[in-house]
Amino acid sequence: MESLKGKHVLVAGATGGIGSAIVKLLTGSGAIVFITGRNTEKLNALATANNIPAERVFVAELSDETKLHSIAGNIHAMIPQLDILINAAGIGIIKPLENLTINDFLNTINSNLVGTFLLVKTFLPKMKEAKKGLIINIPGVLGKVPMAGAAAYCASKYGLLGMMQCIREEIKRTDIRITNI
């Protein structure tokens, strides 16, 4: 198994339960971790708890393309490229269809699918230059199995899986790997 020691890793959605657990495991393994999240207070507490310096902490909504480019610029000023990009970000609005508003639906798609598109589009070019890297998305079981009341969430996660399968085809002649958990 390849060691994580010294690997440059960005965890998007670091303030959620899965994201924060990943951050703890990565820092404990010696990885050099960068984190993003929407909640400033939680992000700063996570950084403090895991000894992540402020210059590697970014408050962001992934669907904000300008902000993502700024984050990438800051990260690439410190390192040539990420070794690993982990996307644990997303929102889950679970409501029966008759209670689901168009805003609920669009916010879910924007955060979970468009945000992932922009995240990968922003960081993949440097990986392609190096012809190596690892992208991990966490669509969860609802990216594969439907659930009553989860129309928006499932649509966003099914879309994420399809998009990542297409991107995998684009990079299949490189050592860039894509994993969906």
Side-chain angles (χ1 to χ4, degrees):
M1 180 188 291
E2 188 176 343
S3 172
L4 291 170
K5 187 172 179 69
K7 296 287 185 185
H8 298 105
V9 183
L10 171 61
V11 179
T15 56
I18 293 171
S20 61
I22 290 169
V23 168
K24 183 177 179 180
L25 291 169
L26 289 168
T27 56
S29 297
I32 299 164
V33 179
F34 300 82
I35 57 176
T36 72
R38 291 185 294 254
N39 184 308
T40 304
E41 190 175 302
K42 283 184 177 181
L43 202 58
N44 289 331
L46 181 65
T48 300
N50 291 281
N51 297 312
I52 299 171
E55 64 269 12
R56 290 193 263 139
V57 178
F58 306 97
V59 177
E61 167 58 52
L62 296 185
S63 60
D64 182 341
E65 187 173 13
T66 303
K67 183 67 174 178
L68 277 177
H69 284 291
S70 173
I71 291 169
N74 288 329
I75 290 174
H76 292 137
M78 291 182 255
I79 62 167
Q81 74 161 77
L82 292 172
D83 296 301
I84 304 169
L85 172 62
I86 300 174
N87 177 23
I91 60 171
I93 299 174
I94 308 299
K95 295 180 180 178
L97 186 63
E98 61 271 9
N99 297 335
L100 190 68
T101 68
I102 187 65
N103 284 337
D104 292 336
F105 188 84
L106 292 174
N107 287 339
T108 303
I109 296 295
N110 201 37
S111 183
N112 298 353
L113 184 56
V114 175
T116 300
F117 164 78
L118 292 172
L119 184 67
V120 173
K121 185 173 173 60
T122 300
F123 288 97
L124 183 60
K126 291 281 189 182
M127 289 181 174
K128 284 174 96 172
E129 283 176 23
K131 292 186 170 60
K132 63 180 181 174
L134 173 61
I135 299 169
I136 300 171
N137 289 293
I138 306 173
V141 70
L142 293 183
K144 299 174 185 164
V145 178
M147 181 180 95
Y153 187 78
C154 286
S156 70
K157 296 302 183 170
Y158 276 65
L160 183 150
L161 287 174
M163 177 179 69
M164 295 313 295
Q165 287 171 349
C166 292
I167 295 168
R168 185 182 291 131
E169 287 298 310
E170 292 178 21
I171 60 173
K172 67 182 174 185
R173 300 205 193 303
T174 70
D175 284 331
I176 301 168
R177 295 167 296 158
I178 295 175
T179 299
N180 300 309
I181 300 171

